[in-house]
Amino acid sequence: MKRQRIVKIALLTTMLAMTLVPCYAGEILNFTGGSYVPSVNNQTIGWSFTVNTALQVTDLSWYDKTGNNPIDHTVAIWGSNGNIVVTGCAGPGCGSSWIGGFWVTTVSAALAPGNYVIGGYIFANVNDNFVLGSPTITTDPRITYGESLFNVSASLTEPNSHCCGDGFFGPDFSTVPEPTSMTLVGLGIGIAGLRKRFRR
């Protein structure tokens, strides 16, 4: 009887953990290295990617390694037809949260398998920086990174020109965690609860 109670508690804990896992699970693309430099033009910078498995976009973000960039950035994702799928403002003036080096703004959009471009508008301003020439790029397995892109423009425009290797990292996004990840988190909490119960 006691053992059944313990199993029930563990299962309940697991189910609660799976429901309460936050949507924010880190950026879908990560990079290391490169130079953190100011933009020499008013331009839209970003990168192309392919969605391999349908996913739900929960946040649009802009990279700011110190959290001190005072400038807000308009960020968007375009579909293969050139239309904007989702857009938002990332920065301190947009009410964004600074998490792990990114200004993060909550949005909601479903991305079906296919080709997309993400871009964000940056100003020619010594205080407005982005990452240029990053040698190491890793992504969530649900997407495949394409190439870095830019477009010198007077306002946010889909970036379509390639230059200077991989870089142009500023805009990014995150998604709902994969169901397997949520299950693992839930199981971990459930097991921790069981261990605590057995110790008592």
Side-chain angles (χ1 to χ4, degrees), residues 12-149:
L12 182 62
T13 310
T14 301
M15 287 167 65
L16 279 170
M18 288 172 69
T19 344
L20 299 174
V21 169
C23 286
Y24 184 78
E27 302 305 316
I28 201 146
L29 179 143
N30 289 288
F31 47 83
T32 57
S35 306
Y36 193 52
V37 298
S39 178
V40 293
N41 296 299
N42 289 352
Q43 59 183 330
T44 306
I45 62 167
W47 41 277
S48 62
F49 62 98
T50 301
V51 172
N52 305 315
T53 305
L55 50 82
Q56 183 73 25
V57 177
T58 57
D59 309 286
L60 290 175
S61 56
W62 183 270
Y63 180 69
D64 175 13
K65 68 177 182 179
T66 62
N68 294 325
N69 188 343
I71 300 169
D72 299 328
H73 300 87
T74 307
V75 179
I77 295 176
W78 289 263
S80 56
N81 57 5
N83 293 333
I84 290 177
V85 177
V86 61
T87 186
C89 174
C94 307
S96 303
S97 303
W98 188 67
I99 306 171
F102 288 85
W103 288 107
V104 177
T105 295
T106 302
V107 296
S108 180
L111 299 187
N115 297 319
Y116 297 86
V117 170
I118 183 171
Y121 197 71
I122 185 169
F123 298 92
N125 184 311
V126 291
N127 295 315
D128 204 5
N129 297 281
F130 68 102
V131 173
L132 178 64
S134 182
T136 307
I137 299 159
T138 57
T139 64
D140 184 297
R142 289 173 290 173
I143 74 158
T144 301
Y145 168 76
E147 60 178 343
S148 294
L149 300 165

